[in-house]
Amino acid sequence: MRLPSISGSKALTTTLLLTFSSLASSQRMLQSDSLDSCSANPGFTATLFDVVFTPDNGTLAYNINAVSSISGNVTAQIQLIAYGIVAFNKSVDPCSSPDLVALCPLNPGVIPNINSNSQLSPSVVAQVPWIAYTWPDLDAQFKVYIKNQTTGEVIACVQANLSNGKTVNQAAVQWVVAVIAGLALLISAVTSGLGHSNTAAHIAANALSLFGYFQAQAMIGMTAVAMPPMVEAWAQNFQWSMGMVSIGFMQNVCTWYQMATGGTPSTILNTLGTTSVHVQKRSMEFTNKLLRRGLGVELFKRDSSTVAPTIVAGIERVGFHAGIEPTNIFLTGLGFFVAFVVFVAIGVALFKGFCEVAANAGWFKKGDKFQEFRNGWKIVLKGILFRLVLIGYAQMCVLCLWELTVRDSAAEVVLALFYFVAMTVALVWAAMKVVRIARRSVAMHRNPAYILYSDPTSLNKWGFLYVQFRATAYYFIFPFLLYILLKAIFVAFAQSAPVAQTIGLLVIEAAFLIGVCILKPWMDKKTNGFNISIAVINFLNIIFLLIFTKIFNQPGIVTGVMGVAYFFINVIFATILLLYVLITAVIAIFSKDPDTRYQPMRDDRGSFIKSQTNLNTELDALGATARGDMRMKARDLDDDSDSISSASMAKRDAAGIPPSTSASTRNMNGYEPPHSPIDPSTPFIPSEGAPRHGPPGAGYADTNRNLYSGNGYADYGRSNSNSPAPRFNGQQQGYARSGSLTSNTSYRPQGNSTPWQRGAGYEH
């Protein structure tokens, strides 16, 4: 069927292109709001530096507060450098300019406020290329070399980064990517409730991988590497995935909480009018003089008695761009995560109420819509909460570990430790639970998918850890969690060592890329290709980051070109991922049977996920019998004895039964039927000469199960006479556990399994 996905794709592409080339300011301009030192012994510093150049009227407006340790007459050599290329070079004598009389001669001490508007000649204005006013996140700066007028010796050097008001850091981009990722997760939940489990698994896996790519981009922005402006602005578009969302009242609450717990809040955003803030860029040689706050970057005190400007880098740079005080970064991320979890939980509860009202009112055309969700919504809610913990694990790892280095207040350190340990323990325990279930399934049925997908409780509660992987790669959640944790450790603890930080991330990304290329752990070829391509781009991004550290001492033009290349590679790749996820989600909504678009999984999970309420044929009934999901008596496959959340432990404790004997003493009054009527250790259809088992004892009869009729066969919608009863040595008897289900004249050769046997995992 034809869908409006093409027009939607064009609209998304058009939106991205328009926002990336946004007209944030209709007037052409070049501006700078900070002055940095570019010499080992800075003799000239500025606590306030605000310069704006408008070429349309040739006006240069500036407002400067400075301190000098230089005396005597000087000359200034001004250079305009764009992407490593010197575009403008001119010498100026302050004594010959009426607007710079305060610098002639230059005396030690505080320089009076320099606030003026200068008119530049058209010839000077014409020397600035037009692209400088239109290209977003311009990587340009001007340098001023202060020279002794008599000897010509350079006695000071200052530089300022230029901006034209255009940027790729756009709120529209952030909303687009966030809405698409959230919409995909929502659609996967809806399609799962409608019974399209295959489609839901694919959409959820792609949406989670997309979200992981967004977080990887945000982590790059959080590194301490001095990046080109375009790379920095692009990474800022994804900081919402790490909880960096500034809300006015939340900032007030964070400041109040910090003060109430003995901390001292920073005031960077409140003093922008009187003091400059240096956002760490490339080619800043004074960064090695930053004070340390723990293992992070220490901000200079911002009071009236000091002349040093405030310097932000790494995580603090991200917070500054987001409008968050450095001391509020941790609490902002924590509050965003907790609020998101609470809102989702409330949303699930409200949806449960809506489903009940709709079912009672007859609004559902089919009475079984969302039936499994309505029956086990609490288990589904637990699984959703675990999934949210997995999604937010990267965010909370980085912020909690970083808070241990900056120690904004004692209470915040306690919160950081609690959430980091709690989330890590919860995810590791859940992963161990999945491994135990899978190993038990392999031991009992020689197929890990048997219990992982046949038991609704296991699937709804723990499925978030393994449904995106193939059944035999259930263990891959451990390497995945280790991958996230190691990246968070380097991002959080290496804020003062950008080169070591980048090399560590490079090793981690390389190891992860090699691992996924060899193992290919995801559910099918498309999903493997989707995730491996993300791993390739993440590895390539770290290589770019290593170049930005200038470890190779490359020319400035190389760094500038690499920054532009980084942006275009990632914007194209992100657009492709967004379109792919969006189109698959739209098809899932408008298609009557979206599962037909996907091939059945090789691990036969579809035969185990078969709904217990849809046993419409005798073949389905036999498959259900093999899987053990009998509607007459449900059994708990997730009954691991060391579970800390299931009800089995509570039952054992109440009965006083040791864990090692609880399973064997579950039914003390009589014989309990086996979980499956087939013994997995013996062939299902014996050969002609194979011995038959004798009939079961009288204790086998179970009136509660009522599974087999008197002639040994269940009535699932057709007459018993249509199918002969099992035989025992040529005589009709009750059901034999390993006997034939057909007459003895048409035995199937041993090892040639039936389709439903293969689905149940007995083909080996």
Side-chain angles (χ1 to χ4, degrees):
M1 60 181 295
R2 298 189 64 182
L3 299 171
S5 58
I6 301 300
S7 60
S9 303
K10 290 182 178 179
L12 174 61
T13 305
T14 302
T15 301
L16 291 174
L17 292 176
L18 287 176
T19 52
F20 289 147
S21 59
S22 65
L23 300 178
S25 174
S26 59
Q27 185 181 18
R28 297 191 304 165
M29 72 166 70
L30 290 176
Q31 61 183 359
S32 179
D33 54 10
S34 65
L35 189 68
D36 310 328
S37 174
C38 51
S39 62
N41 297 312
F44 186 92
T45 58
T47 56
L48 177 63
F49 186 83
D50 190 5
V51 178
V52 179
F53 168 60
T54 52
D56 294 336
N57 55 18
T59 302
L60 178 66
Y62 47 88
N63 184 12
I64 303 173
N65 290 332
V67 175
S68 171
S69 61
I70 303 172
S71 61
N73 293 329
V74 297
T75 58
Q77 182 180 357
I78 302 175
Q79 290 182 349
L80 176 62
I81 304 173
Y83 296 94
I85 301 176
V86 178
F88 176 79
N89 193 353
K90 184 179 181 180
S91 295
V92 176
D93 184 2
C95 297
S96 62
S97 174
D99 298 325
L100 300 177
V101 292
L103 304 179
C104 180
L106 196 60
N107 298 313
V110 177
I111 299 176
N113 182 264
I114 306 174
N115 190 344
S116 179
N117 292 327
S118 299
Q119 193 72 29
L120 302 182
S121 63
S123 60
V124 175
V125 175
Q127 295 184 39
V128 182
W130 63 270
I131 195 173
Y133 308 111
T134 57
W135 188 258
D137 295 296
L138 185 66
D139 187 5
Q141 57 187 196
F142 73 85
K143 286 186 177 182
V144 179
Y145 295 95
I146 302 177
K147 300 180 179 180
N148 187 293
Q149 195 174 60
T150 304
T151 63
E153 178 187 0
V154 177
I155 56 180
C157 174
V158 292
Q159 65 182 12
N161 295 292
L162 299 177
S163 172
N164 54 17
K166 311 292 191 301
T167 179
V168 297
N169 178 21
Q170 295 293 322
V173 176
Q174 300 174 26
W175 277 104
V176 167
V177 297
V179 168
I180 291 178
L183 186 64
L185 289 173
L186 179 62
I187 290 177
S188 68
V190 173
T191 53
S192 177
L194 294 175
H196 306 302
S197 58
N198 200 2
T199 301
H202 281 82
I203 296 177
N206 292 336
L208 290 175
S209 300
L210 180 66
F211 197 87
Y213 169 73
F214 293 161
Q215 289 183 325
Q217 292 287 296
M219 284 188 182
I220 289 178
M222 288 183 166
T223 59
V225 178
M227 297 173 285
M230 182 170 285
V231 176
E232 184 180 305
W234 167 254
Q236 196 69 28
N237 283 319
F238 304 98
Q239 296 301 335
W240 59 267
S241 65
M242 302 294 285
M244 296 294 98
V245 180
S246 178
I247 303 177
F249 78 90
M250 180 179 290
Q251 296 304 302
N252 295 333
V253 172
C254 293
T255 301
W256 166 82
Y257 181 83
Q258 186 182 22
M259 295 178 64
T261 55
T264 302
S266 58
T267 58
I268 291 179
L269 300 179
N270 295 329
T271 57
L272 290 177
T274 58
T275 309
S276 294
V277 176
H278 294 300
V279 178
Q280 184 184 11
K281 306 287 186 180
R282 64 184 182 92
S283 302
M284 289 176 58
E285 298 178 2
F286 62 84
T287 53
N288 59 348
K289 296 184 178 181
L290 296 178
L291 299 177
R292 270 60 175 180
R293 188 174 59 178
L295 293 179
V297 177
E298 171 69 55
L299 297 181
F300 288 104
K301 298 297 182 180
R302 300 183 124 261
D303 52 37
S304 58
S305 62
T306 183
V307 298
T310 299
I311 303 168
V312 291
I315 296 177
E316 292 179 341
R317 176 181 60 203
V318 167
F320 176 75
H321 283 310
I324 303 173
E325 291 286 352
T327 53
N328 288 347
I329 290 177
F330 167 71
L331 286 179
T332 299
L334 175 62
F336 182 81
F337 172 74
V338 172
F340 183 68
V341 171
V342 171
F343 286 146
V344 170
I346 294 175
V348 172
L350 293 177
F351 184 71
K352 167 62 166 61
F354 168 78
C355 288
E356 295 298 332
V357 173
N360 295 333
W363 295 346
F364 290 154
K365 293 181 180 180
K366 294 183 179 180
D368 59 347
K369 274 191 175 181
F370 301 104
Q371 184 65 41
E372 293 183 3
F373 169 76
R374 291 160 54 197
N375 292 338
W377 74 278
K378 292 183 179 179
I379 299 297
V380 174
L381 178 59
K382 291 180 181 179
I384 291 175
L385 295 180
F386 268 113
R387 186 181 294 269
L388 294 180
V389 171
L390 179 62
I391 291 175
Y393 186 61
Q395 164 194 338
M396 296 308 299
C397 274
V398 172
L399 296 180
C400 290
L401 295 178
W402 178 73
E403 176 60 28
L404 299 181
T405 68
V406 296
R407 298 185 293 276
D408 293 314
S409 74
E412 292 185 44
V413 172
V414 172
L415 287 175
L417 282 173
F418 172 78
Y419 275 92
F420 173 73
V421 173
M423 294 177 67
T424 302
V425 170
L427 289 175
V428 171
W429 178 83
M432 294 176 62
K433 181 72 173 180
V434 170
V435 171
R436 288 194 297 268
I437 295 175
R439 287 180 176 177
R440 186 166 67 250
S441 180
V442 171
M444 294 173 60
H445 312 288
R446 292 177 291 177
N447 190 342
Y450 184 101
I451 300 181
L452 289 177
Y453 292 97
S454 65
D455 181 27
T457 300
S458 297
L459 185 60
N460 290 328
K461 187 187 295 185
W462 316 118
F464 73 99
L465 290 175
Y466 61 82
V467 292
Q468 63 268 34
F469 307 122
R470 66 177 190 271
T472 54
Y474 59 85
Y475 59 85
F476 194 75
I477 187 61
F478 277 109
F480 183 73
L481 291 176
L482 181 62
Y483 165 73
I484 295 176
L485 179 60
L486 290 178
K487 287 183 63 176
I489 289 175
F490 275 93
V491 172
F493 288 153
Q495 287 289 302
S496 60
V499 176
Q501 185 181 59
T502 305
I503 293 176
L505 293 176
L506 182 65
V507 173
I508 295 171
E509 293 291 355
F512 185 77
L513 176 60
I514 294 173
V516 298
C517 288
I518 294 175
L519 298 176
K520 297 179 181 178
W522 285 276
M523 64 178 72
D524 57 13
K525 289 183 178 179
K526 290 184 178 179
T527 311
N528 273 297
F530 188 89
N531 286 274
I532 291 176
S533 63
I534 292 177
V536 170
I537 295 298
N538 287 339
F539 176 71
L540 183 61
N541 289 338
I542 300 301
I543 294 179
F544 279 114
L545 196 65
L546 187 64
I547 295 175
F548 299 153
T549 62
K550 306 198 83 173
I551 192 175
F552 303 111
N553 294 321
Q554 71 275 6
I557 183 62
V558 175
T559 305
V561 172
M562 289 296 102
V564 176
Y566 176 97
F567 167 74
F568 278 106
I569 290 174
N570 281 275
V571 73
I572 293 173
F573 183 71
T575 303
I576 293 174
L577 294 184
L578 288 169
L579 290 176
Y580 180 79
V581 172
L582 180 62
I583 291 174
T584 55
V586 171
I587 291 176
I589 289 295
F590 291 98
S591 179
K592 292 184 178 180
D593 190 6
D595 282 347
T596 57
R597 296 184 61 251
Y598 303 98
Q599 295 293 330
M601 300 298 172
R602 291 186 178 182
D603 54 18
D604 289 330
R605 66 178 65 182
S607 62
F608 302 118
I609 302 177
K610 181 78 70 173
S611 173
Q612 299 183 19
T613 60
N614 291 330
L615 303 179
N616 298 322
T617 65
E618 181 180 353
L619 188 61
D620 286 338
L622 292 174
T625 303
R627 293 193 305 269
D629 51 356
M630 307 305 297
R631 66 176 116 181
M632 292 76 173
K633 183 176 180 180
R635 62 187 178 88
D636 183 14
L637 296 175
D638 181 19
D639 58 353
D640 200 295
S641 60
D642 56 353
S643 171
I644 63 174
S645 67
S646 64
S648 58
M649 179 172 286
K651 293 178 181 179
R652 289 197 309 270
D653 294 340
I657 301 174
S660 60
T661 60
S662 60
S664 60
T665 59
R666 195 173 298 169
N667 190 346
M668 304 298 294
N669 297 326
Y671 177 76
E672 179 177 320
H675 288 166
S676 174
I678 300 105
D679 184 1
S681 63
T682 59
F684 179 71
I685 305 297
S687 60
E688 181 65 31
R692 306 292 196 270
H693 293 281
Y700 182 83
D702 188 351
T703 57
N704 294 329
R705 292 175 65 92
N706 195 23
L707 175 60
Y708 303 103
S709 58
N711 63 354
Y713 204 76
D715 185 3
Y716 281 93
R718 74 178 197 178
S719 173
N720 292 336
S721 62
N722 293 339
S723 181
R727 298 176 180 271
F728 173 67
N729 293 335
Q731 302 297 326
Q732 288 193 356
Q733 300 290 342
Y735 184 82
R737 293 183 66 181
S738 297
S740 173
L741 290 181
T742 61
S743 64
N744 58 358
T745 61
S746 58
Y747 287 118
R748 186 181 306 273
Q750 183 173 352
N752 188 10
S753 56
T754 63
W756 75 268
Q757 284 177 273
R758 291 193 295 270
Y762 296 110
E763 69 273 27
H764 301 293

